[in-house]
Each structure stands twice: as C-alpha cells, then as structure tokens.
Amino acid sequence: GPAPTSFRGEMMKQLFQILVAAIATAIGSASVSLLLAFAVLHAGNAASFAVVSDSMAPLMQRGDLVVTTAHGDLAVGDAVTFRKFDQLVPHRIDGYGRQPGTYETRGDANPSRDTWTITAKDVVGKVQGVVRNAGWPLLWLSTAIGRLLVCAVLLLALFGMHWAFPKVLYTQAVP
C-alpha cells in the first residue's frame, strides 16, 4: 500500500540530502584548503603564479604553477620572474645588457634572446619550484566564464547546505 512508497520516497529524499551535503562540504573544504595553501605560500616572502606559455619548456609549461622567492644577487643562468608589459614573465637571465645593471633574458624554449632588457627592479623573484598543472585553476579563474562558474558553484553549495541542513543552520540557542 501507500506506506512503502512513502517510506521509499522519504529514503530517497534523505539520500539526496546526504549527497548534496557531501558535495557542499567537499567544495567548501577544497576552497578553504586552497586559500590556506596560498596564504602559507605567500607568507614566507614567496609568490606564485600560473604559467601562460611554453616559452620555458621543459622546465615549466602552460598551466604549471611557478613558485618564486625574493631575489638577492642576480646572475646569468638564474630562472627569474619579472614584470613586463603588465604581465609576469618567467625567463632565464641569458646575459648582461649593454647598460650597467641590465640583464638580457630568454625563454629556454625560445631560439633567441628577448628583444628587451630588464633591471633588478623588474624582477619579482627567482624561480624556486614548479608544480605541474597546478596553475590551471588560476588560468581558468582569470576568464570571465571561469569566475561566473565559480560563483554559481559556490551559490549552489550554499543553497545545498541550506537545503540539507536547515535545522542545523537556523536553530537558535535557548537562553
């Protein structure tokens, strides 16, 4: 009769609520973990960014995450990140420029030196490490559609938590 169908429907609703809660919790946990990882990374005078081209292959490729630290003395052969044309560029110091205090750079995969020179003031830091493919989320977030989708997912996660845990979120403490 009606009792088993009602019971089955209630069970399906509870299973769906558990699934939504698990997904919302996973999204929230992943977001907090990523924020903490970047906070720890940047607290030690380090900076990280996503690689946008293959000019430094095979050392780093598009979608990799590059970790740099503040630089001291710069020398030929150092892999550095510098600011040029409002972008962060990871290249290697390939020689000294004609002007004192300038450096010539080149991407490892490029056949010739860059057409510009840099100074120590342009350098953000020396490359300390590369995390393969970890920069893709940053590249994706730099697009309008990526930011829009992240906002949509976060709103769905919040709605899912509201729907899965209504009593937990809105229960008032008894004085």
Side-chain angles (χ1 to χ4, degrees):
T5 305
S6 175
F7 177 74
R8 198 177 356 227
E10 188 62 33
M11 284 286 289
M12 291 303 290
K13 182 180 176 184
Q14 287 180 353
L15 285 173
F16 186 70
Q17 284 180 324
I18 290 170
L19 179 64
V20 169
I23 291 170
T25 302
I27 291 170
S29 298
S31 300
V32 169
S33 297
L34 283 172
L35 287 173
L36 286 174
F38 279 109
V40 167
L41 192 63
H42 290 268
N45 211 11
S48 60
F49 68 96
V51 178
V52 297
S53 79
D54 289 328
S55 67
M56 282 294 288
L59 175 64
M60 58 187 84
Q61 299 167 358
R62 179 171 164 76
D64 289 348
L65 186 73
V66 175
V67 179
T68 62
T69 58
H71 64 88
D73 294 333
L74 298 174
V76 171
D78 287 345
V80 297
T81 299
F82 55 89
R83 191 168 299 281
K84 197 73 172 176
F85 311 116
D86 290 328
Q87 288 188 338
L88 292 174
V89 179
H91 276 185
R92 191 174 302 281
I93 294 178
D94 196 48
Y96 297 101
R98 292 182 182 164
Q99 301 295 322
T102 63
Y103 303 91
E104 295 180 339
T105 57
R106 181 177 70 86
D108 289 355
N110 294 344
S112 58
R113 288 180 172 166
D114 297 326
T115 58
W116 59 77
T117 59
I118 62 169
T119 67
K121 289 181 182 179
D122 299 321
V123 176
V124 174
K126 289 185 182 180
V127 174
Q128 298 300 315
V130 177
V131 183
R132 289 279 178 233
N133 295 311
W136 284 113
L138 292 175
L139 290 178
W140 190 64
L141 284 172
S142 68
T143 67
I145 190 75
R147 289 188 297 271
L148 182 65
L149 286 174
V150 166
C151 289
V153 167
L154 290 175
L155 284 173
L156 285 173
L158 287 172
F159 174 75
M161 290 183 72
H162 164 74
W163 183 73
F165 302 115
K167 292 181 179 155
V168 174
L169 294 175
Y170 297 109
T171 302
Q172 295 180 352
V174 178

